[in-house]
Amino acid sequence: MVQTTTKNGIIVAKTGNEIMAEAMRQIAPDVVAAYPITPATEIVQIFSQFVADGLVPTEFVAVESEHSAMSACIGSSAAGARTMTGTSSQGLALMHEMLYIAAGLRLPIVVALVNRALSSPINIHGDHSDTMGSRDAGWIQIYSENSQEAYDNLIQAIRIAEKAKIPAMVTTDGFIISHCMEVVEKIPDEDVKKFIGEYKPERPLLDYKKPFSVGAIDLQDYYFEHRYQLIDAMEKAKPIVLEVAEDFKKEFNREYGFYEKYKMDDADIAIVVIGSAAGTAKVAVDDIRKKGVKAGLIKLRVFRPFPHKELAQELSNLKAVAVLDRCDSNSGAPAPLYLEVTSALYTHCKSECPKVINYVYGLGGRDIDLHHIAYVYDMLGKIKTGTQIKKVVNYVNLR
Amino acid sequence: MANDRMIEIRWHGRGGQGAKTAALLFAEAVLSTGKYVQAFPEYGPERMGAPVQSFNRISEQPITLHCAITEPSFVVVLDPTLMDSVPVVEGLRKDGKVIVNTQFSAKEIAAKLKVSSDKVFVVNASKIAMDTIGLNIPNTPMLGALVKVIGDLDIEGVLKDTRHKLEQKFRHKPQVIDGNLESIKRAYNEVQSEQAVAAKNA
């Protein structure tokens, strides 16, 4: 029987896009400026219908490109408005220039983002190349395993971004989650409103009694200090992420953190993975454990800020770890998540580090199933008992 | 493996026949009976008439799997002409069932699909749709046939939920609601296997 976690919870069947649009309606931002792109189109399409039907008082700005969408968001956020948008893939790529500006101006814009492969070749399906390409843009990045997490993460992101004064993107895997209808527990409108609270910007541009400049030139004299403030803010966003998660758990009884640990207590081998594949991997872990293998899983939720100390601590006592990346850095070196995880281990491991292997999977929406994940755990079992890692970067389900 | 734990369904249709809508409607209806569900389409090139697939998972427990369905427990074929070009029974589980919208008998369809006749259920959903809705849209009647063949789903709950959904979707066209519901009921009652026919004739 489908159960709610709180007495006011509302059980619905929604796709990832539908529930993100629903979260946006409940958040009721002052401004949404957006341009459609598959597979994120529905989010702003459904939301714009809410606006048209008078269900949400948001000013909806239909713009002519994603570059303009992010530019309009920057203007609106700087003016002091709670501001959101939605995009994906090439759309995020087109926003790229403006992403850094949003972060540098410390504007808490929140983006509902659907992960999709980047061209070329043209592909509309899910992988993490788009947001991984923006990983150093100064944005908080929160990834979701399923529709429930997408909904909960988007609501939490508002508070995180506004407190940290850093923009945030909350993602789902394109089609796999964005177009998959699942059971989701919704929070009543008034409870969402209460949880996110009223937005009180510190320095809104429209406060004409306290005029100031935004976006001024900043050369050798102060640029470094201002960028350092952003670096420092990202570090300080870590406790904020946890605080908001703690409050969320208190109110709605669903638990979040930097990552989710699945059967890690006695694990000696583990997979680290982001997004929807973690759900499939949980089933694989259950299956493998029936054979007596001490397999565990860490699903990373927050990629920026990266919880390097915490993650290293979780992994340091393991014998072997596989990091699964749904993108490649095309760099002649391993993929982004592997680089972060191994760097964390090298930095924080007190004694011997676990052996770490990298698997790139799912580019352009290529399926990853239980057999593929079972194979990775099988390899970890071999590495644990002494098999040498010959190739660091390996590919799952690549023909 | 996951297969033992949950029901997995694959819908085969042609672009425009409502295979995606059927999977979504079915998921919502099954949720109303208190089970966990997933519904997702396979997105390829989208054009009218091209073979398309959509999928459902049903479970008593929360569903965390997010991979493709390759070994379905039930296959629903909305368009009988697909059997000539698409391997619709591919990966069908040992105890799996295929439900086909057709005017032919289960025995004839079994011979065509080269599977044993106890796996095959047939219903003339196109005719039911013509009779009740006035259009050849076989997706809603096939919902009824699927509920019957799965067995442990409550048809009254499904009808109630579907009525609710259709009332929202067609609030300006109430006449299509009763027709759609009638089509589900008729297909639920008319879907049959070779065994059922044999029992009746005995």
Side-chain angles (χ1 to χ4, degrees):
Chain A
M1 194 66 201
V2 182
Q3 301 279 351
T4 57
T5 62
T6 56
K7 68 176 177 11
N8 294 330
I10 307 151
I11 297 286
V12 291
K14 295 267 184 210
T15 66
N17 281 347
E18 287 169 350
I19 203 68
M20 276 180 129
E22 182 66 5
M24 284 172 71
R25 183 190 62 74
Q26 295 183 310
I27 291 162
D30 300 308
V31 174
V32 167
Y35 188 80
I37 181 165
T38 303
T41 300
E42 283 175 330
I43 298 174
V44 284
Q45 178 196 331
I46 296 167
F47 183 79
S48 66
Q49 189 67 50
F50 290 150
V51 175
D53 291 346
L55 297 173
V56 64
T58 303
E59 180 72 33
F60 185 86
V61 189
V63 287
E64 79 285 3
S65 78
E66 287 86 355
H67 191 279
S68 303
M70 186 46 65
S71 301
C73 285
I74 288 168
S76 131
S77 185
R82 185 175 262 165
T83 304
M84 294 182 80
T85 185
T87 195
S88 176
S89 182
Q90 307 299 123
L92 184 69
L94 190 52
M95 284 179 182
H96 194 67
E97 177 191 9
M98 306 314 291
L99 292 179
Y100 287 77
I101 294 172
L105 293 176
R106 308 289 304 280
L107 301 172
I109 299 161
V110 174
V111 177
L113 198 137
V114 181
N115 282 119
R116 167 187 148 182
L118 289 170
S119 301
S120 72
I122 295 178
N123 179 299
I124 56 168
H125 288 273
D127 76 31
H128 298 156
S129 307
D130 50 3
T131 46
M132 284 298 163
S134 306
R135 65 190 186 271
D136 296 333
W139 282 60
I140 291 165
Q141 290 194 342
I142 306 176
Y143 292 79
S144 321
E145 177 188 322
N146 50 39
S147 297
Q148 182 72 61
E149 292 191 3
Y151 175 77
D152 293 347
N153 285 339
L154 203 54
I155 291 166
Q156 291 179 60
I158 297 289
R159 262 184 60 180
I160 296 167
E162 287 172 5
K163 179 131 193 226
K165 298 195 188 80
I166 307 179
M169 49 184 83
V170 172
T171 81
T172 64
D173 286 350
F175 288 104
I176 302 166
I177 301 303
S178 68
H179 287 65
C180 177
M181 178 181 276
E182 292 189 303
V183 179
V184 182
E185 180 180 342
K186 257 176 49 175
I187 302 165
D189 289 4
E190 60 273 23
D191 293 356
V192 173
K193 205 170 169 183
K194 206 174 122 207
F195 183 81
I196 60 170
E198 201 186 324
Y199 176 44
K200 291 179 189 133
E202 196 181 302
R203 291 292 300 272
L205 202 52
L206 287 185
D207 183 359
Y208 58 87
K209 284 181 191 150
K210 283 193 278 177
F212 69 109
S213 291
V214 168
I217 195 165
D218 197 3
L219 301 177
Q220 295 94 325
D221 49 357
Y222 272 110
Y223 178 88
F224 200 170
E225 283 70 26
H226 286 134
R227 288 310 284 192
Y228 173 75
Q229 287 180 350
L230 177 61
I231 298 163
D232 186 49
M234 189 58 93
E235 184 65 40
K236 286 178 176 152
K238 288 179 189 172
I240 296 171
V241 168
L242 297 181
E243 256 168 51
V244 172
E246 187 69 37
D247 260 17
F248 192 87
K249 194 191 171 203
K250 223 186 288 163
E251 294 297 324
F252 310 118
N253 207 22
R254 286 192 292 277
E255 198 164 340
Y256 290 93
F258 295 131
Y259 43 77
E260 179 192 344
K261 292 191 278 183
Y262 189 73
K263 306 212 168 158
M264 286 296 291
D265 287 350
D266 65 340
D268 55 17
I269 56 173
I271 281 177
V272 181
V273 67
I274 290 176
S276 64
T280 308
K282 285 174 186 171
V283 179
V285 168
D286 293 346
D287 287 342
I288 292 158
R289 280 198 164 249
K290 284 184 197 136
K291 297 178 198 157
V293 178
K294 289 179 180 170
L297 173 80
I298 288 193
K299 175 189 75 193
L300 192 70
R301 171 180 176 245
V302 182
F303 187 78
R304 290 289 182 262
F306 192 80
H308 58 107
K309 244 186 234 167
E310 295 82 353
L311 202 56
Q313 207 172 357
E314 302 292 352
L315 299 174
S316 60
N317 292 324
L318 300 177
K319 299 277 189 289
V321 173
V323 179
L324 269 58
D325 272 274
R326 199 168 201 137
C327 80
D328 196 282
S329 52
N330 306 301
S331 60
L337 182 58
Y338 177 93
L339 296 177
E340 299 286 358
V341 169
T342 48
S343 151
L345 283 168
Y346 190 86
T347 310
H348 300 291
C349 256
K350 289 195 178 68
S351 51
E352 204 183 337
C353 276
K355 300 268 182 289
V356 192
I357 187 166
N358 193 195
Y359 284 92
V360 172
Y361 73 99
L363 298 193
R366 175 64 55 83
D367 195 30
I368 180 166
D369 68 16
L370 292 168
H371 302 287
H372 301 128
I373 295 166
Y375 171 81
V376 173
Y377 277 114
D378 209 38
M379 278 309 296
L380 288 175
K382 287 180 186 158
I383 294 164
K384 184 185 103 177
T385 52
T387 300
Q388 291 293 313
I389 297 174
K390 286 193 193 111
K391 267 171 59 198
V392 174
V393 190
N394 301 271
Y395 301 88
V396 179
N397 201 9
L398 170 74
R399 292 195 303 266
Chain B
M1 298 300 281
N3 283 352
D4 309 328
R5 298 182 196 127
M6 62 179 79
I7 295 172
E8 293 182 312
I9 302 161
R10 184 172 67 214
W11 299 75
H12 289 275
R14 290 192 181 275
Q17 278 183 330
K20 177 190 165 187
T21 308
L24 294 177
L25 266 176
F26 184 69
E28 289 190 88
V30 171
L31 171 65
S32 73
T33 71
K35 293 183 200 299
Y36 288 91
V37 287
Q38 273 184 358
F40 54 99
E42 173 206 59
Y43 281 90
E46 291 169 46
R47 55 190 194 276
M48 292 285 279
V52 295
Q53 298 177 19
S54 58
F55 305 89
N56 286 115
R57 285 192 172 101
I58 305 174
S59 172
E60 299 291 336
Q61 308 299 325
I63 303 167
T64 66
L65 275 180
H66 281 112
C67 51
I69 290 175
T70 51
E71 293 171 1
S73 16
F74 297 94
V75 166
V76 185
V77 182
L78 294 179
D79 186 326
T81 64
L82 284 168
M83 291 185 290
D84 297 325
S85 56
V86 177
V88 294
V89 290
E90 191 172 68
L92 187 66
R93 292 184 204 175
K94 260 193 196 142
D95 57 350
K97 306 271 189 284
V98 53
I99 310 162
V100 182
N101 166 26
T102 176
Q103 53 184 327
F104 293 102
S105 71
K107 201 174 167 185
E108 288 164 307
I109 297 298
K112 187 174 177 63
L113 292 175
K114 299 188 178 67
V115 294
S116 70
S117 65
D118 61 340
K119 286 185 174 312
V120 179
F121 287 77
V122 290
V123 62
N124 196 342
S126 291
K127 180 174 187 303
I128 293 173
M130 286 303 291
D131 290 349
T132 54
I133 309 164
L135 292 167
N136 182 6
I137 39 172
N139 61 348
T140 28
M142 287 305 267
L143 275 179
L146 178 61
V147 170
K148 177 69 166 283
V149 176
I150 290 177
D152 70 337
L153 296 171
D154 168 29
I155 184 70
E156 291 307 321
V158 168
L159 285 169
K160 202 175 140 203
D161 184 76
T162 308
R163 171 176 287 282
H164 180 66
K165 293 282 144 34
L166 292 174
E167 276 171 354
Q168 288 177 333
K169 194 172 172 187
F170 294 112
R171 56 183 188 271
H172 307 299
K173 278 200 284 181
Q175 67 280 12
V176 305
I177 297 168
D178 287 340
N180 271 288
L181 290 172
E182 181 58 24
S183 79
I184 296 175
K185 269 190 248 175
R186 264 190 62 182
Y188 180 86
N189 290 324
E190 291 177 22
V191 64
Q192 56 184 346
S193 63
E194 191 53 28
Q195 279 68 17
V197 174
K200 209 188 276 174
N201 293 343

